[in-house]
Amino acid sequence: MTVSPQAPASAVTAASPPANRAERLLIPATFITCLGNSIQIIAASLLVVQAEQTAMSVGWLFIAVAAPQALLSVWFGRLADRFDRRMLCLVCDLLSAAGAVALPVWLLLGGPTDTAVYATNLALATVSALFIPASNALVKERVHPERLGKFNARFEVATQAGTLLSTGIGGMLVQLFGAKPLFFFNGLTFLLSAVCWIFVGRKPMAAAAQDVAGGDDVSVAEASPVVRLGLLYAIGNIIVTVSNALVVVLVVQAFKQGAGVLGVVDALAGVGVVIAAAVYGKLSGRLGELHLMLLGYLGCALFITLQPRFGTIGLMMLLPLGALTFGLARISARTLLMKATTEDRAGSVFGATNAFGLAASAGAALAITMLSDHTHVKYGYLSLGVLVAVVASITIGSVRRLYGKQSTGTFAS
């Protein structure tokens, strides 16, 4: 069956099958992993700051986390297409649990804090470089194509919920027990996630037979603009990375506010994405995923540009709207990318997309923050908004023209 990228959701959801066991378990596994990873970064940052007393030390920590994914995601994505993806996810979680627990054990034995934190997070980031393409390819493998939009909306909710709860849980645990016990908690989250992968079960025989037989997916994916859809998905990485860098400068330096306001801002952004996930199904049904992605990115670009212009209250009002439009575009991009690629190449596609997204985010963050330092942070926001609007408009336009030239003009479904 084929479905146009602009086809109403109602045309397909009537015959949409119910969620299978794998789909039901992938969401809690995502939530648990996101919760653990976010707490890991919080605890590691606290330990590094306490040990070295410099902001640059935290910057090096984030570089240690990003570098392996940028360098290894493409190769690891190919591995995810060659081996059992469920087993790869399971092995990744077990290795991550061991790495998370190794850090506090090393510290309890009297090892140096800074070296242990950098080494552990570098190792965890290396494992994550394999986990990201493997888990995304597993979604493509196990979730029915007609349910990808609904699944990806829930995926974003799970991701945001894990991130938001990590701030509250992490802060509470640090106050009660200090930073070191958080790593044991993080190890537990990885083990719980591993349990989910175990219960996902092996790949159904029918799906395995379909891989061997091939089918419409191959011919359609060859005509699908996978590279351009990957670029559209990577725009989300750029928005998140650059916005996270700019908002600290905006709140602390420009608005003269404290860390409490930053916490409120993060929470409001998470709420906006959760609302986007809730309304995505109806909006994508009426507008189509490609149109919704265009409106989402253009709306996000507009709200990004306006955020620094109306003070703290204005930022708090505009940020949820920006997060809402971002969420709609992000879910649409993820869904279309998954529909466009074939199952046997899903790992490679998401590995390359993750690597490009991280590299592009680093470059954009460096250029835009330098511009902000030499002018004013509002021009950083303006440049980010213009970048998002221009790249999204041109790329989505090229995708629409490609489908207009095709006789089928369809995604595999």
Side-chain angles (χ1 to χ4, degrees), residues 293-318:
M293 178 165 48
L294 176 61
L295 292 175
Y297 276 138
L298 290 179
C300 184
L302 173 63
F303 291 125
I304 285 173
T305 303
L306 295 176
Q307 283 171 14
R309 299 181 180 275
F310 301 101
T312 304
I313 300 300
L315 173 65
M316 291 183 178
M317 295 177 63
L318 291 168

Side-chain angles (χ1 to χ4, degrees), residues 1 24 31 36 55 68 87 99 107 125 135 170 172 216 283 292 313 315 333 359:
M1 179 181 179
R24 290 192 296 269
F31 167 76
M87 290 303 300
L107 296 177
S135 59
M172 180 182 66
D216 291 340
L283 291 179
L292 183 58
I313 300 300
L315 173 65

Side-chain angles (χ1 to χ4, degrees), residues 141-164:
E141 175 184 300
R142 301 298 183 92
V143 178
H144 195 280
E146 292 175 4
R147 295 189 57 85
L148 280 175
K150 182 178 293 186
F151 173 86
N152 286 327
R154 293 174 176 173
F155 176 89
E156 289 297 331
V157 172
T159 301
Q160 292 301 320
T163 302
L164 290 175

